[in-house]
């Protein structure tokens, strides 16, 4: 497999390749396991992303942006928010390889948050959310429950955004766990802490590996998968807290 | 003295109430069990009825309610959480199960229907199950045998084992190993952070198989006539094979792929810092002695926790 093809899988998925390039990449995909796996991941993310609800912004941000960049005023005259059901180009969900893991993390954080919202419990303590450049610290948590550090590697905007979503979801769930840990027996708390620490250690190792080789698809997906495990365990722990409430 | 002993025995007898009740079951009804502490032991018989046997203490009660869609068995405390109650429940083989508890061991034998189990501190041992079979424990092993369908098995702090089963399989734990033996998976996603992962079964053309670990070894048993495109990835681990393979391509880092036969299945083997191995069927490593040692350590941990935690459930 060559990086040339990996980086063009997103265009292939969006049907934006010339016919000869498309034929070439299809030939390549018939033999390349790694590209096939990346393409499958891309398709999964695109499907999940397309399933997200479109939401209008609360207000039109364009006038302020236009003023700051010196662009001409909006042609609608009133500066109204344009509805998402208005005619528009087909939405393009395109990812470069390094963005794939970030997109996956953002989506899992969103789905994690959505699942959490289904639980009819309002957390009484909400963990502090630190800026993405600093590790967020949750007062009262033991080190094992405290976040091991935000997703800060590769400071592209997409990764930063994914890191924010992930950190927010983790912080929310840790807040619920902190507030409710007194309702769980100490053995369960200890087991959860021990396993969170195990995952945090794996995340830290994977982060260091990605920092050293950011184009490595395996390391990126491994990091994303390990982070997903942490989110999943926190969701499970938070569900336990609510079930004994 | 004799009188007081006799009187104590009578009191103890009076505190235990035997329950043995049988209710008719209709096709389509599910069994829902909401336990707290103790054991849930489900077995099958040839009758369209559900029998519930239990011996709760005076601090707890067992409620059995039949509705159109389910037969529900619930343990309740008269004041606070129920004490430990062991439930023995006999059901028709066609009856789907939803079993849950907190300090609860769950055992199921012989059911040929969907099964859902969730417990926190307890072992899960299921033989049978068809359709969706979803088993979860936080601190307890999850063992499944003879299931067919969509299989979803999760632990957190213990091992996951699946044997003599078939279907789409997802197996996951954090601190434990995953072993799949004599399993015919049409697709497989097996992953752990701190433990080994092994699969011994056919790889089906068109199927996708992912085995991954962070700290442990990953082992795949491959038949001589297997047809699979295999990718191997590790960061700080090794690769070994019991038979020769011809690498198709290698990439930066420790990543490479090869094709067996026509390459019909997609196989990904990943270990961040363990060894990825290919073996022949029947050679999946079983470190039984290590398992014993670890079980003993876990038991010791749990005993130690119970001895020292004022906050633990007093019934355990």
């Amino acid at each position: 497999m060559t990086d040339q093809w990996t980086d063009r899988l997103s265009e292939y998925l969006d049907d934006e390749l010339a016919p000869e390039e498309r034929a070439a990449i299809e030939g390549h995909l018939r033999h390349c396991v790694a590209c096939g796996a990346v393409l499958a991941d891309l398709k999964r993310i695109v499907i999940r992303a397309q399933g997200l609800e479109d939401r209008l912004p609360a207000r039109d941000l364009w006038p302020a942006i236009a003023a700051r960049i010196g662009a001409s005023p909006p042609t609608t005259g009133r500066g109204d928010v344009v509805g998402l059901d208005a005619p528009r180009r087909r939405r393009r969900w395109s990812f470069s390889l390094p963005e794939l893991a970030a997109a996956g993390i953002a989506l899992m954080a969103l789905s994690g948050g959505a699942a959490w919202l289904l639980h009819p419990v309002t957390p009484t303590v909400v963990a502090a959310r630190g800026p993405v450049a600093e590790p967020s610290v949750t007062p009262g948590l033991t080190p094992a429950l405290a976040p091991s550090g935000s997703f800060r590697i590769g400071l592209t905007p997409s990764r930063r955004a994914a890191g924010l979503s992930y950190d927010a979801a983790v912080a929310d769930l840790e807040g619920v766990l902190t507030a409710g840990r007194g309702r769980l027996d100490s053995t369960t708390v200890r087991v959860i802490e021990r396993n969170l620490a195990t995952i945090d250690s794996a995340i830290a190792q994977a982060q260091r590996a990605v920092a050293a080789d950011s184009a490595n698809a395996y390391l990126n997906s491994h990091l994303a998968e390990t982070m997903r495990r942490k989110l999943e365990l926190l969701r499970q722990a938070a569900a336990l807290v609510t079930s004994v409430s | 003295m004799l009188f007081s002993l006799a009187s104590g025995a009578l009191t103890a007898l009076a505190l235990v109430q035997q329950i043995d009740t049988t209710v008719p079951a209709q096709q389509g009804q599910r069994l829902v069990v909401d336990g707290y502490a103790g054991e849930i032991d489900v077995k099958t018989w040839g009758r369209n009825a559900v029998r519930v046997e239990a011996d709760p203490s005076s601090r707890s009660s067992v409620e059995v309610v039949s509705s159109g869609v389910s037969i529900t068995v619930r343990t309740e405390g008269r004041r606070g959480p129920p004490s430990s109650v062991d439930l023995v429940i006999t059901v028709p083989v066609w009856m789907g199960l939803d079993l849950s508890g907190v300090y609860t061991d769950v055992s199921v034998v012989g059911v040929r229907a969907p099964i859902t189990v969730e417990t926190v501190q307890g072992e899960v041992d299921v033989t049978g199950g068809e359709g969706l079979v979803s088993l979860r424990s936080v601190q307890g092993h999850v063992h499944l045998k003879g299931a067919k369908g969509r299989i979803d098995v999760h632990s957190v702090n213990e091992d996951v084992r699946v044997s003599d089963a078939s279907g789409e399989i997802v197996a996951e734990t954090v601190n434990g190993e995953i072993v799949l033996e004599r399993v015919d998976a049409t697709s497989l996603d097996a992953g752990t952070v701190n433990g080994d992962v092994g699969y011994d079964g056919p790889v089906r053309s068109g199927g996708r198989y992912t085995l991954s670990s962070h700290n442990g070894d990953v082992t795949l048993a491959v038949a001589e006539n297997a047809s699979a495109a295999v990718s191997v990835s590790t960061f700080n681990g090794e690769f070994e094979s019991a038979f020769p393979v011809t690498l198709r391509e290698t990439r930066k880092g420790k990543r490479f792929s090869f094709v067996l036969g026509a390459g019909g299945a997609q196989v990904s083997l990943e270990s961040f810092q363990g060894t990825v191995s290919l073996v022949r069927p029947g050679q999946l490593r079983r470190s039984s002695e290590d398992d014993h040692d670890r079980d003993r350590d876990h038991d010791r941990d749990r005993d130690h926790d119970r001895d020292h935690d004022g906050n633990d459930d007093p019934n355990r």
Side-chain angles (χ1 to χ4, degrees):
Chain A
M1 187 179 79
T2 66
D3 286 335
Q4 169 202 353
W5 290 124
T6 311
D7 291 341
R8 307 205 66 182
L9 288 172
S10 189
E11 292 169 77
Y12 170 72
L13 196 57
D14 284 331
D15 200 16
E16 292 180 347
L17 291 176
E20 61 274 17
E21 289 178 314
R22 185 172 184 81
I25 203 169
E26 285 176 346
H28 174 71
L29 282 167
R30 277 194 285 275
H31 303 289
C32 179
V33 178
C35 273
V38 171
L39 183 64
D41 286 343
L42 277 170
K43 285 179 178 173
R44 197 165 60 240
I45 285 174
V46 167
I47 288 167
R48 292 188 65 183
Q50 286 172 335
L52 294 175
E53 184 186 356
D54 286 336
R55 288 183 189 164
L56 283 172
R59 61 190 175 86
D60 189 358
L61 301 174
W62 175 246
I65 295 170
R68 296 186 72 169
I69 65 175
S72 48
T75 53
T76 57
R78 294 183 297 113
D80 294 340
V81 174
V82 178
L84 290 170
D85 53 351
R88 59 182 178 181
R89 283 187 60 206
R90 182 173 66 91
R91 177 182 291 180
R92 180 177 181 278
W93 296 96
S94 182
F95 299 95
S96 66
L97 179 61
E99 290 171 333
L100 179 59
I105 289 165
L107 281 164
M108 81 183 163
L110 284 169
S111 59
W116 170 244
L117 287 174
L118 295 175
H119 290 279
V121 167
T122 304
T124 52
V125 174
V126 176
R129 290 185 200 171
V132 76
E134 298 293 333
S136 51
V137 176
T138 308
L141 283 176
T142 64
L145 279 180
S148 64
S150 304
F151 183 59
R152 293 185 300 279
I153 54 170
L155 295 174
T156 63
S158 60
R159 285 197 172 195
R160 213 172 289 130
L164 278 170
S165 297
Y166 179 82
D167 285 348
V170 165
D172 281 348
L173 292 167
E174 284 175 336
V176 174
L177 187 54
T178 303
R181 62 179 290 158
R183 294 198 288 273
L184 298 175
D185 85 49
S186 57
T187 303
T188 302
V189 171
R190 193 175 305 122
V191 166
I192 291 168
E193 286 179 347
R194 191 189 302 159
N195 282 277
L196 284 172
T198 298
I199 297 174
D200 281 343
S201 170
I203 288 173
Q205 289 175 345
Q207 283 176 329
R208 283 196 293 273
V210 170
D213 184 5
S214 61
N216 187 318
Y218 160 63
L219 293 178
N220 277 283
S221 69
H222 180 68
L223 174 58
E225 176 63 15
T226 313
M227 294 171 77
R228 181 198 64 79
R229 283 180 197 281
K230 178 173 181 176
L231 200 59
E232 186 63 36
L233 180 52
L234 282 169
R235 286 168 59 187
Q236 199 173 353
L240 283 178
V241 169
T242 60
S243 71
V244 298
S245 298
Chain B
M1 176 70 178
L2 199 60
F3 174 76
S4 67
L5 277 176
S7 149
L10 284 173
T11 307
L13 282 175
L15 289 175
V16 176
Q17 38 180 328
Q18 296 287 335
I19 291 174
D20 185 348
T21 183
T22 300
V23 295
Q26 297 174 339
Q27 287 276 353
Q29 277 186 311
R30 291 176 68 83
L31 174 71
V32 179
V33 180
D34 184 5
Y36 180 74
E39 294 179 14
I40 300 173
D41 184 3
V42 179
K43 51 192 181 180
T44 56
W45 63 0
R47 294 177 56 190
N48 282 332
V50 172
R51 179 182 182 187
V52 180
E53 299 166 87
D55 54 352
S57 72
S58 62
R59 291 173 51 198
S60 304
S61 63
V62 176
E63 182 183 64
V64 181
V65 177
S66 181
S67 71
V69 294
S70 65
I71 292 174
T72 302
V73 180
R74 184 176 293 118
T75 61
E76 292 183 332
R78 298 193 195 284
R79 288 184 299 275
S83 58
S84 179
V85 178
D86 292 342
L87 296 165
V88 178
I89 304 174
T90 312
V91 303
V93 294
W94 51 258
M95 179 165 257
L97 309 177
D98 291 321
L99 315 175
S100 63
V102 180
Y103 307 97
T104 310
D105 292 333
V106 178
S107 166
V108 177
V109 177
V111 169
R112 293 203 292 269
I115 301 173
T116 301
V117 176
E118 290 196 17
T119 183
V120 180
Q121 288 187 34
E123 320 283 20
V124 178
D125 291 277
V126 173
T127 300
E130 287 184 14
L132 176 60
V133 179
S134 173
L135 314 177
R136 287 173 179 267
S137 176
V138 174
Q139 191 181 12
H141 70 233
V142 175
H143 292 179
L144 174 64
K145 186 175 183 182
K148 295 177 185 172
R150 197 166 148 212
I151 295 168
D152 198 357
V153 278
H154 289 246
S155 178
V156 173
N157 200 43
E158 292 283 354
D159 298 342
V160 171
R161 290 177 187 272
V162 180
S163 59
D164 305 297
S166 61
E168 297 173 42
I169 301 176
V170 176
E172 195 169 272
T173 185
V174 176
N175 188 31
E177 68 175 15
I178 299 174
V179 180
L180 303 109
E181 287 182 304
R182 302 178 303 281
V183 169
D184 186 355
T186 52
S187 71
L188 170 64
D189 188 349
T192 180
V193 176
N194 197 28
D196 298 341
V197 181
Y199 174 73
D200 189 344
V203 286
R204 298 285 176 193
S205 188
R208 188 161 178 190
Y209 302 80
T210 301
L211 285 69
S212 66
S213 176
H214 184 85
N215 279 329
D217 298 336
V218 168
T219 305
L220 176 71
V222 184
E224 286 190 37
N225 61 353
S227 171
V230 183
S231 73
V232 176
S233 303
T234 180
F235 176 68
N236 205 19
E238 303 292 335
F239 173 73
E240 59 187 35
S241 175
F243 50 88
V245 293
T246 304
L247 300 188
R248 186 181 197 95
E249 59 194 347
T250 59
R251 305 198 66 212
K252 188 184 169 201
K254 293 181 174 180
R255 290 179 290 159
F256 52 88
S257 63
F258 51 90
V259 175
L260 303 172
Q266 295 254 329
V267 177
S268 297
L269 308 174
E270 303 171 347
S271 176
F272 188 82
Q273 52 196 8
T275 299
V276 176
S277 305
L278 297 181
V279 298
R280 287 303 187 198
Q283 297 176 342
L284 199 62
R285 232 176 331 195
R286 290 290 300 273
S287 48
S288 303
E289 290 183 6
D290 291 349
D291 292 348
H292 272 301
D293 289 345
R294 205 159 64 159
D295 285 347
R296 212 165 43 228
D297 289 344
H298 276 301
D299 289 344
R300 208 160 37 222
D301 279 354
R302 290 170 75 164
D303 291 344
H304 183 270
D305 291 342
R306 285 175 206 163
D307 289 346
H308 290 82
D309 291 342
N311 195 27
D312 278 351
D313 181 77
N315 301 310
R316 288 287 284 189

